[in-house]
Amino acid sequence: MKVRKAVIPAAGLGTRFLPATKALAKEMLPIIDKPTIQYIVEEAKKSGIEDILVVTGKGKRPIEDHFDSVPELEQNLKDKGKTDLLKLVEQTTDINLYFIRQSHPRGLGDAVLMAKDFVGDEPFVVMLGDDIMEDKVPLTKQLMQRYEDTHASTLAVMKVPHQEVNKYGVIDPAAQTKPGLYDVKRFVEKPDVDKAPSDLAIIGRYLLTPEIFQMLETQKPGAGNEVQLTDAIDRLNKIQRVFAHEFKGDRFDVGYKFGYLKTSIEFGLRHPEVKDELRAYIKDLSKKIK
Ligand code: G1P
């Protein structure tokens, strides 16, 4: 069956960016001029996803507004002949987005369970908003291509520094069935550094079969006392194969301050409007702060 649907959990409180996220959804924090969630939606679109469900919570209305049309603004830009800006604004409405509110966030697994009726009986992808991924073929598309072959759930993983494995879901890999595609013995959420089965971390893109919902419905809270998607996937792996696909592209983790800053600088160095000035500024600054 074709993969057509994506779920973007966006109910988190964004505590790592307080006080900025007190009244502002963290998914709306911009990298230069584009909210982080738009990068995720664009990856979905480029991958051929047709329908997206965003799981939101309190204070997340600006996300809905961002992807809606704004007739007054559009008319204003038209009148002033600002066609480039008009195009940028119009692009954000060209996608089928659905929203559901999670009133009591109980973890990622619980957020994904909110998508049960939207997903129905189809395979689907889950895309987390903290990671912007870049590669020739979008990562979500890479997972979809794997699915065409295996018809099985497949998660994206990437090698991370060993001291950081306790921030992630980690896999215990078995043999590679194909280059870059692992059979998995076990999925562990946030293991202790000295107990982690590998340095291959789950990085926020999942292609899942609908049977995951049976697991989520009975999933007990795990690490951090939250209902963990990783734990449900580990149980799914016991009744049907779940694979891990190793991502070799670039990952920008915008979910913590330093990652957000690094991404802003790197994307700024590519942005036609600011790249030359920013390059000169960084050179100047590095001389000053020797
Ligand atoms: C979540 C998942 C974890 C995954 C990570 C990727 O954790 O629970 O398995 O490795 O995203 O970013 P969180 O970052 O929400 O703590």
Side-chain angles (χ1 to χ4, degrees):
M1 198 186 270
K2 206 174 153 227
V3 181
R4 304 184 303 116
K5 294 178 179 175
V7 178
I8 303 180
L13 298 174
T15 42
R16 286 185 198 151
F17 287 93
L18 280 170
T21 45
K22 206 178 146 202
L24 179 73
K26 74 165 176 174
E27 295 77 11
M28 291 302 295
L29 290 174
I31 302 294
I32 317 297
D33 49 13
K34 206 191 278 186
T36 54
I37 193 167
Q38 195 179 328
Y39 290 91
I40 313 297
V41 167
E42 285 176 2
E43 180 189 325
K45 260 165 79 170
K46 274 190 235 150
S47 302
I49 292 293
E50 294 162 17
D51 294 331
I52 300 177
L53 178 75
V54 185
V55 182
T56 67
K58 282 180 193 64
K60 304 285 184 166
R61 283 277 285 281
I63 301 178
E64 292 182 47
D65 292 341
H66 178 72
F67 292 103
D68 197 358
S69 64
V70 190
E72 277 167 41
L73 172 66
E74 286 161 31
Q75 192 56 49
N76 182 286
L77 294 172
K78 233 178 251 168
D79 293 346
K80 291 188 175 144
K82 296 188 174 169
T83 43
D84 288 355
L85 288 180
L86 182 63
K87 222 165 104 196
L88 287 181
V89 169
E90 282 174 346
Q91 264 167 14
T92 58
T93 55
D94 178 25
I95 181 99
N96 288 335
L97 277 177
Y98 302 83
F99 295 88
I100 188 166
R101 273 172 84 107
Q102 187 191 24
S103 41
H104 298 287
R106 275 180 283 252
L108 178 60
D110 193 42
V112 173
L113 182 56
M114 303 284 300
K116 186 174 181 247
D117 290 343
F118 166 79
V119 167
D121 202 18
E122 300 181 27
F124 67 107
V125 292
V126 174
M127 306 175 77
L128 304 189
D130 282 347
D131 286 324
I132 297 174
M133 310 293 191
E134 284 190 351
D135 205 349
K136 276 189 218 101
V137 176
L139 177 52
T140 295
K141 180 91 193 168
Q142 292 178 23
L143 294 179
M144 288 158 74
Q145 287 170 345
R146 291 295 199 190
Y147 180 81
E148 278 168 26
D149 232 27
T150 61
H151 297 280
S153 297
T154 307
L155 278 54
V157 295
M158 196 170 193
K159 275 223 163 69
V160 296
H162 183 67
Q163 333 70 265
E164 290 177 20
V165 287
N166 58 356
K167 294 198 281 187
Y168 297 93
V170 174
I171 67 161
D172 185 356
Q176 289 191 39
T177 35
K178 288 200 167 164
L181 189 71
Y182 293 88
D183 259 318
V184 181
K185 283 184 248 170
R186 215 160 39 104
F187 297 84
V188 196
E189 181 68 13
K190 311 228 164 67
D192 289 341
V193 171
D194 52 347
K195 292 202 187 107
S198 77
D199 295 342
L200 286 168
I202 302 168
I203 51 162
R205 299 291 183 276
Y206 311 72
L207 194 156
L208 297 168
T209 55
E211 286 76 21
I212 192 66
F213 294 115
Q214 292 164 27
M215 306 298 136
L216 286 171
E217 274 171 335
T218 52
Q219 189 58 51
K220 301 217 170 69
N225 203 26
E226 292 184 350
V227 177
Q228 297 292 352
L229 181 58
T230 305
D231 295 345
I233 290 170
D234 190 53
R235 285 170 62 218
L236 182 66
N237 192 32
K238 298 197 166 97
I239 58 162
Q240 51 176 241
R241 277 168 101 179
V242 178
F243 292 96
H245 163 80
E246 190 172 358
F247 181 53
K248 301 279 195 186
D250 294 319
R251 165 175 172 252
F252 299 90
D253 183 351
V254 297
Y256 70 111
K257 288 187 192 84
F258 186 51
Y260 179 80
L261 263 178
K262 281 198 289 187
T263 309
S264 299
I265 293 171
E266 196 163 334
F267 283 32
L269 287 170
R270 300 178 195 167
H271 195 293
E273 220 174 298
V274 293
K275 63 179 186 185
D276 296 337
E277 272 176 295
L278 182 60
R279 185 174 302 274
Y281 173 71
I282 291 172
K283 268 193 191 151
D284 243 26
L285 197 62
S286 60
K287 273 182 225 147
K288 259 195 236 162
I289 54 172
K290 258 186 201 142

